[in-house]
Amino acid sequence: TGLSVEGTDTTHRTEYLHVDAAGHPLSPAYRVITTDRQGRYEIEKRIFTDPDGQALVIRTIIRALRGEITPYLLLEPHMANTGVGDSGSARYVSAGEMPNASDRRGVLQASEGDVHLALVADVPLLNRSVGFIGVSDGLTDLADGALDHRYLTTGDATGNIMLTAGLRPLRAGGQESRDFVIGFGNSAATAIGAADATFAAGLDEVLARFNGVGDHVGWEDYIASLDQLPRLAEQSTDGGRLAYASALMLKVQEDRTHAGALIASLSNPWGDTVDATNPSTGYKAVWPRDFYQVAMALLALGDTETPVAAFNYLPQVQVRADTPGNTGVTGWFLQKTHVDGEIEWVGVQLDQTAMPIMLGWKLWKAGLVSDAEITTMYGGMIKPAADFLVDGGQVGLLWNDRTITPPWTQQERWEEQEGYSPSTIAAVITGLTVAADIARAAGDPASAARYQAAADDYASKVEARMFTTNGEWGDGRYFVRITRNENPNDKAPIGENNGQPAHAEDRIIDGGFLELVRYGVRAPDAPSVTDTLPEYDDQTREDRFRVRYDVNGVPGFRRYGNDGYGEQTDTGENYGVGGQMHAGQRGRLWPFFTGERGHYELAALLARGEGDVSAIRQIYVRGMESFANAGLLLPEQAWDGVGDDTAHDYRIGQGTNSATPLAWTHAEYVKLLRSLADRAVWDTYAPVAQRFGAPVD
């Protein structure tokens, strides 16, 4: 009776395939079940990869619920990380190309350069075709309910293509199981061979290997190795399901060809409107800040190997004299790189230079890095980083020729503004203090004294540089998000960004000041901290400058007032449509701020000598869990209800089309569970807390 497209015309739910008796996911194998909105069919897809090959497995059950249906498979490849320049074919392959096939088999193939894929099915594919999107592709052809044209190759032409194959019709009550494997390789033959080898191994066997069932070593074994995970799961309010899913998601962020390379997310935020003409890394890259969050969360889970591999990886993304194109100062860490270390962005963010030092100190004190190893890393990586945090210097890499004078940072943790930032300085003070501890152990007392003196100086001027006493909000006393000079009272503007106009520094508040408490730079009851909380929490402020929005009883927070990194309030369109900034853009709620606030509340509770954390669990742990989607993935942003709810009809608190899963959000959740289990903030650094007056366990 017409065309129904999976996604557009269906609802869906996601479930994990491999769970324990309590429902905890034990591997990232999953099923997606889509149901036609008119009740005519249901499709179940079981998805996992071959751990011993380059292949993706999709095991499918198609059920006809009402009437007769004819299923078609559509595959839109983006080869070599672009949506253009692809070639394709829907030809038969010979027995020589697929030695395990019992008959001639139709295979869908796509390629760009030496990047190839081949989709192979367990049965012959009917009505195969390949075409160009919007012109000759199968979906366009099927608009009238029939595949009228069949093209077996794109020939010499390239572009944005779609591959199509028909399956047998089904009558009401019927169902059919079909298995598909997509193989990858540097040639057509290699890709076909990868898919064929996975079929030959047996898909039940491949799943058993993936999961680690029986004698196989797989994901189940990794989860079992996390000796802290059961203890952390006890602090949850959902029975531990999100804790186990977070453990999987965090480990998934490690690149498989560069050990220890921890990325920010396996996604492109608002990917449905990202231009695919050119390669787009999105969040599939290394930021040392997100990297630190993931490594610390894995350490909190009891992973004793990945954080060490991550620490050993870090020199690849530190600027050295031999860094390609570098003519300036060394020691700082690159803003954003590919997993192989290829440079992408080169802004200087001082917190990203401090956090590798902080991670090293934590691993050293945990006994996972020996004295000899930390001494070696001190000379090669930590000392150059700490020297930069003291001295700064002129940058000379690609477009960047700025002179950095710490603790002034070229970019703060949101990569948008220059100046003095509470969150950045919290990390810099911490990094230098623990660098001094490492320097003493490495036999360099002179550098230790220099690092500590700089940290002391920075710490002594935190309020003078970043705490306004005549601000616009409330009683006028609070930390500003950032100030471009050392005077937070002069009402100087900060820069415009993300389509939003510049405003005076005292009009913009964020939660960065809480990092001062997290690391131990300020006590939770420090007057500057407690004076800022009412302004941070003010929900009567106009939406442009308001930060906090409680969602179903859960405290939710935007990055800062006037944030434009999100959907448009006026049109409901995505962020940055057409590569342009728009005045209506608005940053939404970031669920990991709920965890950051939970960490502060725990620190405050412990400082008061109290031990009952049940309220923190019910408000902040439960709150973070409420932001997870059905597949137990935590988003970068959640809908705050301001403006047009977009084509997605977002519900309040629902994850938006921003990055999902965001590794930082999962990391913050795991660290909050660990902090509650320990009755101590996981990210607090004892030398910092002891020196600057915060309580320490």
Side-chain angles (χ1 to χ4, degrees), residues 373-407:
E373 290 168 331
I374 201 68
T375 297
T376 298
M377 196 64 92
Y378 171 75
M381 183 182 82
I382 293 172
K383 187 179 190 306
D387 286 341
F388 181 80
L389 294 176
V390 175
D391 301 326
Q394 184 172 5
V395 180
L397 191 58
L398 299 181
W399 58 265
N400 195 350
D401 60 0
R402 295 293 296 275
T403 296
I404 310 300
T405 306

Side-chain angles (χ1 to χ4, degrees), residues 225-245:
S225 76
L226 304 177
D227 60 2
Q228 296 298 309
L229 177 55
R231 190 166 73 94
L232 271 59
E234 291 176 358
Q235 299 299 320
S236 71
T237 70
D238 72 342
R241 294 174 65 247
L242 182 57
Y244 277 73

Side-chain angles (χ1 to χ4, degrees), residues 604-613:
L605 181 148
L606 296 172
R608 296 192 299 267
E610 301 174 14
D612 184 1
V613 300

Side-chain angles (χ1 to χ4, degrees), residues 629-654:
N629 65 19
L632 300 177
L633 305 184
L634 288 167
E636 176 184 67
Q637 299 188 42
W639 188 245
D640 61 2
V642 177
D644 190 300
D645 59 4
T646 85
H648 301 287
D649 297 323
Y650 288 128
R651 305 182 310 274
I652 299 294
Q654 178 183 357

Side-chain angles (χ1 to χ4, degrees), residues 199-462:
F199 265 121
L203 300 189
D204 289 337
E205 172 68 12
V206 170
L207 180 59
R209 294 174 184 173
F210 182 85
N211 289 338
V213 173
D215 293 335
H216 298 301
V217 177
W219 279 102
E220 184 177 317
D221 301 278
Y222 176 71
I223 289 295
S225 76
L226 304 177
D227 60 2
Q228 296 298 309
L229 177 55
R231 190 166 73 94
L232 271 59
E234 291 176 358
Q235 299 299 320
S236 71
T237 70
D238 72 342
R241 294 174 65 247
L242 182 57
Y244 277 73
S246 294
L248 296 170
M249 288 306 105
L250 290 168
K251 181 63 175 174
V252 160
Q253 307 308 311
E254 182 189 16
D255 185 69
R256 295 302 185 264
T257 55
H258 300 85
L262 303 171
I263 65 169
S265 175
L266 281 166
S267 66
N268 269 24
W270 299 286
D272 53 344
T273 52
V274 171
D275 181 9
T277 303
N278 298 305
S280 177
T281 313
Y283 283 11
K284 303 180 289 294
V286 172
W287 277 267
R289 176 178 42 256
D290 298 66
F291 184 104
Y292 165 84
Q293 308 296 342
V294 176
M296 286 293 291
L298 290 169
L299 184 63
L301 287 163
D303 184 336
T304 59
E305 295 183 358
T306 313
V308 175
F311 183 55
N312 291 329
Y313 167 89
L314 282 166
Q316 297 183 59
V317 294
Q318 186 176 30
V319 176
R320 304 181 302 273
D322 62 351
T323 295
N326 183 50
T327 61
V329 68
T330 60
W332 57 284
F333 283 80
L334 291 160
Q335 178 186 358
K336 178 190 178 188
T337 66
H338 296 266
V339 293
D340 63 0
E342 179 186 345
I343 298 169
E344 187 162 1
W345 293 351
V346 294
V348 177
Q349 301 172 15
L350 295 186
D351 61 341
Q352 294 209 126
T353 294
M355 287 174 171
I357 304 173
M358 294 157 60
L359 175 62
W361 186 88
K362 282 284 191 180
L363 295 172
W364 176 44
K365 291 302 177 180
L368 300 178
V369 172
S370 69
D371 291 348
E373 290 168 331
I374 201 68
T375 297
T376 298
M377 196 64 92
Y378 171 75
M381 183 182 82
I382 293 172
K383 187 179 190 306
D387 286 341
F388 181 80
L389 294 176
V390 175
D391 301 326
Q394 184 172 5
V395 180
L397 191 58
L398 299 181
W399 58 265
N400 195 350
D401 60 0
R402 295 293 296 275
T403 296
I404 310 300
T405 306
W408 181 94
T409 186
Q410 187 179 19
Q411 295 178 352
E412 34 62 87
R413 67 175 176 168
W414 306 129
E415 309 188 292
E416 299 168 347
Q417 298 285 352
E418 62 183 47
Y420 297 90
S421 153
S423 62
T424 297
I425 284 183
V428 170
I429 293 167
T430 303
L432 284 172
T433 299
V434 298
D437 196 24
I438 296 169
R440 283 187 291 270
D444 186 3
S447 292
R450 198 167 81 92
Y451 301 152
Q452 194 61 70
D456 291 348
D457 177 63
Y458 300 162
S460 70
K461 298 174 181 175
V462 164

